Amino acid sequence: MLGGGNAGSSAHVRSLAAGLVARGVRVTVCAPVGADHTYDFTGAGAEHVHVPRSSDPGSVAALRAACTDADLVHAHGLHASFRAVLALSGRGTPLVVTWHNRAHAEGARAHLRRLLERRVARAAAVVLGTTSELVDRARRTGARDARLAAVALPGPRPADSHDDAEPPHPKVRAELGAIGRPLLMAVGSLDRHRGYDLLLDAARGWRGLDPVPLVVVAGEGPLRAELQGRIEDEELPVRLVGRRDDVGELLAAADLALLPGRGESRSVLAQEALHARVPLVAALAGGIRELVGDAAELVPADDTEAFSDAVVRLLGDPGRCEALRDLGTRQTATWPTEDETVAQVLSVYDELTQPRPMI
């Protein structure tokens, strides 16, 4: 079960579906139809059942019907997990949930989030958290069994590969307007917790550098108009390029990757940056330290000056950048593979569905 699904959780579900099908498991992915168009669950060998987003009053009924013959249900994300709890009410079907990120909310919405977390944690047979912080949160919330999840960053699909002998970096940089100047790349939905206000504050100071770096932000969200207004009013060297399907190419062409906010617990950008050997500057929040170790420049969260200074230092220190690239390569070798991720999930499924021997 997948709700709207961010890029990380959707790609993870696609990877799991392919790996489980290859091991003989019958997999049905319940998600909005747009998710299947983007991530091709059916191409991975799974059946796809359209289940609308949580705002649709028919979503729980659709999910309940889809789960009629299920031996086990695995829900990803808080809202998808809560709908799974409702859909499975009165049934003995085991429920596994994966928490990929800590939901961000304020005021009344934060209270509702805590209620949902408690209901889901107590109803699930197993809660898998992508970071130790999320595992601890699940335990505090009442989970009977909470474990650290092995989550691999799926490799590029065949459609994403290129036949060109040379990487397309010069072309990408020219398209973005970053010829003869550093290219700084940030990726993620344009939401408050992503730290884009801090990024624009830092970019104001970078106007004094020679050459002036270009900051490119790939993503869409509710802050688009507000951020664009600031960029124009303050004449900031920042481009919002919207949602892109070539983020891997954009990142590979960048001089630095930027993660200014509290973002994801297991940041996809951080993983892709280290895989692409692009030095990363990140706010020290969530599970970032656990994910990247010493393979990135980590600065205090919500500290514009520290973030800005770290970027300036790296732009002027090619040796440190090369050291971070090598550290990143070593760090990625410690992350679980897709096969290891599937094996862990399958062992949880077997544990919950295999008949227990009589004592």
Side-chain angles (χ1 to χ4, degrees):
M1 173 61 192
L2 186 67
N6 63 23
S9 58
S10 299
H12 174 61
V13 169
R14 207 273 181 187
S15 174
L16 280 184
L20 291 168
V21 168
R23 288 162 173 78
V25 179
R26 180 170 59 91
V27 178
T28 300
V29 177
C30 300
V33 66
D36 187 48
H37 290 160
T38 302
Y39 292 95
D40 193 21
F41 304 120
T42 51
E47 178 185 354
H48 171 252
V49 173
H50 170 63
V51 173
R53 296 173 182 268
S54 56
S55 57
D56 190 311
S59 64
V60 173
L63 180 58
R64 186 172 180 84
C67 294
T68 299
D69 298 322
D71 298 298
L72 177 142
V73 173
H74 189 168
H76 295 261
L78 179 59
H79 291 283
S81 300
F82 180 66
R83 283 186 288 159
V85 169
L86 298 179
L88 297 176
S89 178
R91 299 180 179 179
T93 309
L95 173 64
V96 176
V97 303
T98 296
W99 287 357
H100 292 266
N101 304 295
R102 179 177 178 179
H104 295 269
E106 299 177 354
R109 290 178 63 86
H111 178 66
L112 175 60
R113 185 203 71 213
R114 289 191 294 270
L115 293 177
L116 296 184
E117 286 180 338
R118 186 177 303 117
R119 179 74 182 274
V120 167
R122 294 178 178 179
V126 175
V127 177
L128 298 173
T130 59
T131 66
S132 299
E133 179 187 45
L134 289 174
V135 173
D136 291 342
R137 185 176 184 85
R139 289 172 179 158
R140 292 195 305 268
T141 309
R144 292 172 284 169
D145 187 342
R147 312 177 192 182
L148 187 63
V151 178
L153 179 70
R157 284 183 259 160
D160 297 327
S161 60
H162 299 273
D163 295 327
D164 299 332
E166 295 296 327
H169 298 177
K171 180 180 178 181
V172 171
R173 293 179 71 102
E175 175 207 335
L176 296 173
I179 296 298
R181 61 193 301 197
L183 174 60
L184 316 182
M185 191 76 205
V187 180
S189 58
L190 305 183
D191 294 301
R192 191 71 61 188
H193 67 273
R194 299 284 185 179
Y196 292 125
D197 282 340
L198 181 151
L199 182 60
L200 296 193
D201 290 342
R204 190 189 305 121
W206 297 333
R207 292 177 304 183
L209 300 178
D210 184 19
V212 178
L214 174 66
V215 181
V216 172
V217 181
E220 280 293 352
L223 293 185
R224 171 94 191 209
E226 177 183 328
L227 296 174
Q228 188 62 49
R230 278 198 61 186
I231 292 167
E232 294 172 3
D233 292 344
E234 301 174 35
E235 298 183 343
L236 301 177
V238 180
R239 284 192 60 189
L240 306 180
V241 296
R243 188 175 290 109
R244 301 280 294 240
D245 58 8
D246 60 345
V247 167
E249 292 180 7
L250 300 183
L251 184 59
D255 296 287
L256 299 178
L258 308 180
L259 193 64
R262 299 185 178 276
E264 303 174 26
S265 294
R266 190 175 179 89
S267 167
V268 173
L269 172 64
Q271 294 174 80
E272 290 183 334
L274 266 60
H275 273 299
R277 290 177 57 82
V278 176
L280 172 69
V281 179
L284 185 53
I288 189 68
R289 171 75 76 182
E290 184 177 348
L291 179 64
V292 304
D294 60 356
E297 289 288 341
L298 302 181
V299 301
D302 305 318
D303 189 331
T304 301
E305 184 177 356
F307 193 90
S308 176
D309 289 348
V311 169
V312 173
R313 283 197 306 273
L314 284 183
L315 290 178
D317 191 345
R320 174 60 178 163
C321 288
E322 188 60 30
L324 286 176
R325 293 185 185 98
D326 292 340
L327 288 169
T329 298
R330 289 198 285 271
Q331 183 69 13
T332 61
T334 71
W335 293 341
T337 65
E338 288 189 81
D339 282 345
E340 290 167 342
T341 299
V342 173
Q344 185 209 32
V345 168
L346 189 56
S347 71
V348 173
Y349 293 178
D350 287 342
E351 178 183 328
L352 296 175
T353 58
Q354 296 301 319
R356 298 177 182 271
M358 297 295 292
I359 299 178

